[in-house]
């Protein structure tokens, strides 16, 4: 049985006071469901948010990390630095990093390996653009991102990794993949896990859906057999809507 994970990706939003208030609001919210909860604020506020959620059972993660341990890498943040301020997770290969910042699978793979070596749980994102989908290339694109970004991972390492399927056309657009569209790609990802590793491993790894997840569509998405949680952007910026998504996932999983 895979325990649901509901993760909030706050992206480049909020100021210090609002980030702390949101974290405290979540810590106080009624989310007594059987589900893991993760928030990913800006690096600048990791420390403050980490303190605000202390003792709540909510986990904290970064939105990216660099793969080198230390040294002359101006502007970058290491795995030990984010761990030092309480992070246990890190989002890697988010579509905004792939498509806006220009990260490639080879770089993302180095980050995944480095995060695992530091004892962090990577949340590795994959997903096709609208152009890919319309050209019938969804499966091919997702498979190539999977193989490239997760290259060389042992069975033990892949079991410690979370995968997030985020169709680029559904991110921040209000267009959610239908539960059936999402389930189809999640099932493909689980087949890939079985093929590259084995069926037991494929049943262990959590695969999250992301892209315009809201309280109104969370339960339908989470009730799909291969959807094990959500990576939420916009709707994670308000404690009440994020808590409603968490509760919907808990109900769907029960
Ligand atoms: P939205 O929920 O705002 O579409 O963002 C999804 C996302 O990119 C989460 O990582």
């Amino acid at each position: 049985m895979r325990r649901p994970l509901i993760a909030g990706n706050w992206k480049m939003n909020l100021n210090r006071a609002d980030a702390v208030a949101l974290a405290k609001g979540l810590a106080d919210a009624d989310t007594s469901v059987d589900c893991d909860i993760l928030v990913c604020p800006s690096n600048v506020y990791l420390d403050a948010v980490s303190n605000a959620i202390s003792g709540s059972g909510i986990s904290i993660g970064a939105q990216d990390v660099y793969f080198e341990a230390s040294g002359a890498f101006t502007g970058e943040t290491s795995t030990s630095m984010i761990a030092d301020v309480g992070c246990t997770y890190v989002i890697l290969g988010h579509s905004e990093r792939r498509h806006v910042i220009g990260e490639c699978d080879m770089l993302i793979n180095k980050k995944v390996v480095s995060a695992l070596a530091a004892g962090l749980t990577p949340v590795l994102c994959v997903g096709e653009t609208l152009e890919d989908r319309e050209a019938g290339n969804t499966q091919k694109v997702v498979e190539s991102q999977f193989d490239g970004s997760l290259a060389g991972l042992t069975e033990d390492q892949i079991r410690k990794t979370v995968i997030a399927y985020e169709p680029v056309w559904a991110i921040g657009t209000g267009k959610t993949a239908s539960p059936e569209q999402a389930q189809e790609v999640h099932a493909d990802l689980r087949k890939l896990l079985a093929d590259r590793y084995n069926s037991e491993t494929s049943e262990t790894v959590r695969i999250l859906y992301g892209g315009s997840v809201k309280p109104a569509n969370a339960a339908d998405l989470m009730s799909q057999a291969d959807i094990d949680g959500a990576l939420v952007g916009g709707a994670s910026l308000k404690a009440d809507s994020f808590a409603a998504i968490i509760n919907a996932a808990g109900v769907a999983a029960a």
Side-chain angles (χ1 to χ4, degrees):
M1 214 23 211
R2 298 178 296 270
R3 189 175 159 85
L5 168 63
I6 305 297
N9 175 6
W10 296 358
K11 307 193 180 182
M12 200 172 73
N13 291 302
L14 308 174
N15 59 26
R16 182 188 175 92
D18 290 342
V20 168
L22 174 56
K24 287 195 174 140
L26 282 175
D28 293 340
D30 181 14
T31 53
S32 52
V33 290
D34 199 15
C35 145
D36 290 334
I37 304 169
L38 168 66
V39 291
C40 301
S42 152
N43 277 359
V44 179
Y45 304 129
L46 283 174
D47 208 10
V49 170
S50 187
N51 287 329
I53 56 167
S54 169
S56 68
I58 299 173
S59 300
I60 185 165
Q63 299 170 16
D64 185 39
V65 81
Y66 199 55
F67 63 87
E68 293 283 3
S70 66
F73 304 102
T74 302
E76 296 296 338
T77 308
S78 71
T79 53
S80 64
M81 288 171 178
I82 63 167
D84 197 21
V85 289
C87 289
T88 50
Y89 287 81
V90 59
I91 298 172
L92 292 171
H94 190 277
S95 81
E96 286 141 22
R97 296 214 62 86
R98 291 178 185 269
H99 298 290
V100 183
I101 316 288
E103 290 196 6
C104 64
D105 282 317
M106 202 190 284
L107 173 63
I108 296 162
N109 181 236
K110 286 183 180 168
K111 294 182 174 191
V112 170
V113 170
S114 154
L116 285 163
L120 297 162
T121 300
V123 179
L124 183 270
C125 305
V126 297
E128 82 287 2
T129 62
L130 186 59
E131 203 185 351
D132 296 329
R133 176 161 282 265
E134 285 176 346
N137 289 335
T138 298
Q139 202 176 356
K140 205 170 88 186
V141 167
V142 166
E143 179 170 344
S144 137
Q145 290 174 340
F146 178 101
D147 284 334
S149 299
L150 300 172
L153 262 57
T154 63
E155 185 181 330
D156 183 51
Q157 287 176 317
I158 194 79
R159 283 179 182 231
K160 290 179 178 147
T161 301
V162 173
I163 297 173
Y165 168 57
E166 296 205 311
V168 180
W169 49 272
I171 296 177
T173 58
K175 280 188 212 153
T176 320
S178 69
E180 295 73 25
Q181 280 175 320
Q183 166 59 26
E184 190 182 8
V185 179
H186 281 237
D188 285 344
L189 281 163
R190 214 169 291 289
K191 271 195 222 113
L192 273 176
L193 285 161
D195 182 61
R196 306 297 193 259
Y197 296 89
N198 52 58
S199 62
E200 204 184 287
T201 299
S202 81
E203 290 303 320
T204 309
V205 176
R206 291 189 287 190
I207 309 176
L208 314 183
Y209 169 78
S212 298
V213 177
K214 299 175 198 74
N217 58 27
D220 279 349
L221 287 160
M222 297 310 127
S223 61
Q224 297 295 313
D226 291 297
I227 301 185
D228 307 316
L231 182 52
V232 187
S236 73
L237 295 173
K238 294 263 184 303
D240 56 353
S241 59
F242 194 54
I245 292 169
I246 292 164
N247 288 323
V251 171

